[in-house]
Each structure stands twice: as structure tokens, then as C-alpha cells.
Amino acid sequence: MADHRATPDKPLSRRLAPLDLTALPVERLEDMHDAAATVLECEHALQKSGMSVISEVLRGQGDFVIWERYPKGDIFDSETHSHYFYHSHTPEEMADGENGHFHLFVRPAGLAPGLKPWAFSGAVITEDEAARFIHIGAISVDGYGRPLRLFTTNRWVTDETLYRAADIVPLLDRFAIELAHPNWAVSKWLTSMVRLHLPQLAALLHLRDAVIMDWSSRHAAETLEDRRLQNTSEVALDIPAQIAAVEAALGL
């Protein structure tokens, strides 16, 4: 297991250690198991159709350009207050084999009115509560749309309003894309990927907070706008291993 402790000479590791799922409530494990079935169903249907999650978010969008967001205008679900977009960075800024990643968001004004942003030094907080959004994490995929890793980012990356992990985690269950555009299978896949990996997302957000605090203690610059700190926590994705861990915890 990775050692995430910081020392005066060693910054906090951004890699999430493996999680023990056996302590999770049965209801959570069963929901994760159902989500896994939906993830596999969506991937199978897309593959049989000669499609992938990437092909569908890029369909009809013209040339795939680095840094551009797809589908153009992002995807917003006004009923669930969730949204996402897909894009790509330069190769040196992405994981090996990564084509791009889905950035996932929720709008706190619609889910938890009155939720207070993290009053961290240098935080950018818009006065318009309806304009605030929370980045819950990102899913990177390869050129075939196969998931590679989950990760979180520093505030400046998405220009989000920063909230503490403890306030964000209860909102993870509320992330849902229930739209047929650009593809119903993509919407169900993203929603179910969050449900399947909710414990990892929660742990990544807590690690993000710890990394930000650790970085702040080591550097004089405004941490949330420091371009040297981009990705704040990450974990590799292995869907068969996640399913096996869930089934073991359920005693299946």
C-alpha cells in the first residue's frame, strides 16, 4: 500500500492507496454492483455498434482539437444539476495511452442551497451562487474509450468554486446525466461510472484537500492558482478488479 504521509523532505503522495470495500454498507455495495452491470452493458452495446464513449461525444463536432470542449457547449442536465465535457491536453500532460478525459461537475445551488465554499487563501468565489460549480473528478480514457484513471484537479484547472471534500462527498450520489444527447449509453455510462467508483471518488477528494494543504505549507505562491500543481490526486481504474472487490465484499 502506498505511503501518503508527508515529511519535511517529501510532499504528500497524490496516488490513492487501494481501498478496503468490506466496511461499506451492503446497500452501497449492491448499488455499486448494479452500476457495474450498467457500465458493462453500455460498453458492450457501444462496441457492438462500432462506437465508443469518445466517438459519440465527438460525433458531428468537426476536427478533434486539443483543449476544445466536447460536445460543444458541454452537456448540462438541468434537473439533476450535473454536467460534463470531454477534452484532451498535450500528450506530455496526460497519462500514457490517454486520449482525453471527461470532467464531471455538480451545481451546489441546485443540490445543497446555502452550502459554503472553502474559504481557502486566494480562493476565487463568485457572488452568484447559481454560477458556482464543483468539479467532482475526471475520468481519463484511451483511444478506444476504455477507462484508465480517476483524478482530481487544482481549482484553477476548471475555474470551479472550491468546496471541502466533506461537503462534496454527500453530493456524489446526486450526479446523474439523464439525457439522450449525445448518446443515451454515454449518459448511463458516466452516471454508472461515478456510482461504481464512489468510494474512490470520495477518497480522492479528501486526498485532494490534503495535497492542497500540504502544497500550501511548502510554497509561498497562492496554492489554488499555482500552475505547478495541476492534478491533485489520482487512482488507476480497473473495472474487473473493482467488480471482484465488490463481489468479495458482498460474499458473492
Side-chain angles (χ1 to χ4, degrees):
M1 181 175 292
D3 184 356
H4 288 84
R5 292 172 297 179
T7 69
D9 300 321
K10 184 181 73 171
L12 196 66
S13 172
R14 302 177 201 177
R15 293 187 180 276
L16 183 68
L19 300 183
D20 179 5
L21 303 183
T22 58
L24 293 176
V26 171
E27 294 79 6
R28 170 64 64 196
L29 292 166
E30 290 176 340
D31 185 67
M32 292 169 67
H33 199 249
D34 290 344
T38 301
V39 166
L40 296 178
E41 177 186 22
C42 292
E43 291 180 344
H44 181 63
L46 288 166
Q47 185 179 27
K48 280 185 65 176
S49 305
M51 301 172 178
S52 73
V53 291
I54 298 176
S55 75
E56 297 315 288
V57 297
L58 299 181
R59 187 178 300 279
Q61 301 291 303
D63 293 337
F64 182 38
V65 180
I66 289 175
W67 298 113
E68 290 291 322
R69 292 156 62 149
Y70 299 94
K72 293 172 183 176
D74 297 7
I75 296 295
F76 291 84
D77 189 321
S78 59
E79 291 187 358
T80 66
H81 309 287
S82 306
H83 95 266
Y84 77 88
F85 67 82
Y86 181 79
H87 77 168
S88 176
H89 296 192
T90 56
E92 59 269 19
E93 291 188 345
M94 299 194 297
D96 290 343
E98 183 177 353
N99 176 272
H101 39 265
F102 293 88
H103 283 288
L104 313 176
F105 306 88
V106 294
R107 297 270 175 170
L111 298 178
L115 193 67
K116 300 300 182 184
W118 187 2
F120 195 88
S121 175
V124 177
I125 302 174
T126 178
E127 292 297 321
D128 182 1
E129 293 188 14
R132 296 173 185 171
F133 56 89
I134 296 171
H135 183 242
I136 64 171
I139 303 172
S140 74
V141 294
D142 66 13
Y144 298 96
R146 296 175 297 207
L148 299 175
R149 62 177 178 138
L150 285 171
F151 64 95
T152 65
T153 60
N154 199 1
R155 194 218 73 85
W156 66 266
V157 176
T158 61
D159 199 30
E160 68 177 305
T161 300
L162 195 70
Y163 292 77
R164 290 183 178 274
D167 292 325
I168 302 173
V169 169
L171 305 182
L172 295 178
D173 270 323
R174 311 283 292 278
F175 178 85
I177 303 295
E178 300 172 344
L179 303 173
H181 176 72
N183 183 298
W184 180 236
V186 173
S187 296
K188 292 182 67 176
W189 184 83
L190 286 170
T191 301
S192 298
M193 282 289 288
V194 170
R195 288 171 53 206
L196 174 58
H197 297 96
L198 194 142
Q200 282 83 4
L201 280 167
L204 286 170
L205 287 163
H206 282 289
L207 179 55
R208 178 207 67 174
D209 286 7
V211 167
I212 286 173
M213 294 292 291
D214 183 58
W215 187 276
S216 180
S217 71
R218 296 171 185 275
H219 302 278
E222 290 288 2
T223 298
L224 303 184
E225 309 306 315
D226 194 336
R227 266 47 180 178
R228 295 172 296 175
L229 180 60
Q230 180 169 336
N231 293 345
T232 47
S233 60
E234 66 176 285
V235 66
L237 285 175
D238 184 333
I239 290 177
Q242 180 80 342
I243 294 172
V246 170
E247 292 184 342
L250 285 168
L252 299 179

